[in-house]
Amino acid sequence: MRGVVFDGKQARVVDDLELREPGPGEVLVGIRAAGLCHSDLSVIDGTIPFPSPVVLGHEGAGVVEAIGAGVTHVAPGDHVSLSTLANCGACADCDRGRPTMCRKAIGMPGQPFSRGGKPLFQFASNSAFAERTIVKAVQAVKIPDELPMTSAALIGCGVLTGVGAVLNRARVGHGESVVVIGTGGIGLNVIQGARIAGATAIVAVDANPAKEAVARQFGATHFIDASAVPDSSAAVREILPTGADHAFECVGDVRLIRQAVDLLDRHGQAVLLGVPGFTQEASFQVSSLYLDKTIMGCRYGSSRPQRDVALYAQLYRQGRLLLDELVTETYPVEDFAKAVDDARHGRVARGVLTF
């Protein structure tokens, strides 16, 4: 079986992966498409520490091939989008409707794969960069058969994270103002989440001027080319003189985190979605927060995947949520190295591997 394995030094496509059968409460999924997210790149470059060897990928969609005992909500032949939340469903956080905070879903990687008789770790309880994978039943969310797999794959991370950060975490309201720093896959979903929420001013900031057209397509009302102005914060202030109600940092740069905080209006919220190095620290002026400003972390869009994936699929069918437009390029899995290079150099909003 083919898949992408990171051995701690390099990631490459192999064709000799083995996968065990699904156990109770598990689902075996044949992957059809998987998005290449910057979190995968962060494992490769060490920004996100993860045990190796590991089968990468965490943003996928496919067809159910087999189910374990006790699984009732999906059946073989169903099309599913995969989430990364292997939440238990029974702890206090799950009971409160906060599956992203389930402690059993974080930092406990399984090893359903093997190669040459040696076990391999599963990334984000998912490992979508393989022809087949095993997930907990709660991670497999049934989707309409007519939803293209290349688009459905992106729901499982980029859409849940970006749109969810707007609707679930920040709870952007009608008529409010939003600044989005970084317009990659997550940033574009923040932009369209703000549009869906009814924000009237959506200011996108990016150092790549080529991203303006797609940012506006997804809902940005303004675009600031950070490479062409001496001070992008001043440029934002020309549009929003008193600051923004919400600022989303989608890059993972501590300087931009500071910028997001500084751009807030009174009672504003800075939502951090980018992932800096795990040892990095950000600074801010403490006195600025006394005007009821808030700095918010956000894991996976504070999502409830079984509810949210169905909602986003419905919004897609209504033409309100853009998915097909997110897919800049598709690559057969054998072209993984090219997909990584394109992603690192900002040539694609989202590249999708196909099997």
Side-chain angles (χ1 to χ4, degrees):
M1 182 178 72
R2 292 175 299 167
V4 179
V5 174
F6 176 62
D7 63 8
K9 296 181 180 179
Q10 64 175 350
R12 60 191 180 95
V13 180
V14 302
D15 60 8
D16 57 351
L17 284 179
E18 297 177 353
L19 182 66
R20 64 169 173 78
E21 294 298 313
E26 294 181 334
V27 178
L28 174 64
V29 178
I31 298 295
R32 298 294 184 269
L36 177 59
C37 174
H38 274 276
S39 293
D40 299 300
L41 303 182
S42 294
V43 172
I44 296 172
D45 65 24
T47 302
I48 296 178
F50 203 89
S52 61
V54 56
V55 181
L56 293 176
H58 65 286
E59 187 180 69
V63 179
V64 175
E65 294 188 1
I67 58 175
V71 177
T72 59
H73 75 290
V74 293
D78 284 347
H79 290 201
V80 292
S81 177
L82 302 182
S83 87
T84 68
L85 286 183
N87 58 294
C88 71
C91 68
D93 284 305
C94 287
D95 194 49
R96 294 187 185 106
R98 301 188 305 209
T100 57
M101 295 296 105
C102 175
R103 286 169 171 79
K104 293 186 178 180
I106 303 173
M108 303 175 67
Q111 294 180 305
F113 297 94
S114 61
R115 186 175 179 229
K118 297 181 179 179
L120 284 76
F121 289 103
Q122 185 173 36
F123 180 52
S125 303
N126 191 307
S127 290
F129 292 169
E131 289 185 274
R132 295 177 182 84
T133 192
I134 285 176
V135 296
K136 290 185 66 172
V138 71
Q139 296 176 253
V141 186
K142 188 174 180 180
I143 56 174
D145 289 355
E146 64 269 21
L147 185 57
M149 287 290 184
T150 50
S151 297
L154 304 186
I155 297 178
C157 179
V159 176
L160 282 174
T161 299
V163 178
V166 174
L167 302 184
N168 301 328
R169 186 69 170 123
R171 301 192 177 187
V172 172
H174 283 275
E176 293 186 327
S177 59
V178 171
V179 173
V180 182
I181 302 172
T183 59
I186 298 299
L188 289 175
N189 279 298
V190 171
I191 289 171
Q192 71 170 335
R195 170 177 50 78
I196 291 168
T200 51
I202 305 172
V203 183
V205 183
D206 201 289
N208 184 351
K211 293 184 177 182
E212 179 173 2
V214 69
R216 290 187 179 275
Q217 180 184 20
F218 274 70
T221 58
H222 302 79
F223 183 89
I224 293 172
D225 176 7
S227 69
V229 296
D231 184 351
S232 58
S233 292
V236 172
R237 290 283 184 179
E238 290 183 8
I239 301 165
L240 303 172
T242 62
D245 295 311
H246 309 272
F248 294 82
E249 201 281 343
C250 305
V251 178
D253 186 309
V254 294
R255 295 169 299 174
L256 298 179
I257 290 174
R258 172 61 186 264
Q259 182 184 37
V261 176
D262 289 345
L263 284 172
L264 295 178
D265 196 356
R266 299 181 180 191
H267 207 271
Q269 299 179 146
V271 184
L272 311 186
L273 297 176
V275 182
F278 269 47
T279 61
Q280 288 189 277
E281 299 180 356
S283 65
F284 57 90
Q285 186 178 349
V286 176
S287 62
S288 71
L289 299 186
Y290 294 140
L291 293 173
D292 285 1
K293 298 179 184 181
T294 304
I295 301 173
M296 307 174 72
C298 183
R299 171 172 160 78
Y300 204 46
S302 301
S303 298
R304 287 180 277 173
Q306 290 290 338
R307 177 202 68 171
D308 291 348
V309 171
L311 169 63
Y312 299 154
Q314 181 180 9
L315 292 174
Y316 168 80
R317 296 169 81 178
Q318 294 172 351
R320 298 173 62 194
L321 182 82
L322 304 182
L323 290 177
D324 304 338
E325 296 81 358
L326 280 168
V327 183
T328 313
E329 187 74 52
T330 59
Y331 308 83
V333 67
E334 291 80 7
D335 288 344
F336 175 73
K338 183 179 187 304
V340 168
D341 189 65
D342 286 348
R344 287 196 187 284
H345 290 88
R347 301 187 192 104
V348 293
R350 207 53 143 208
V352 176
L353 302 179
T354 58
F355 294 84

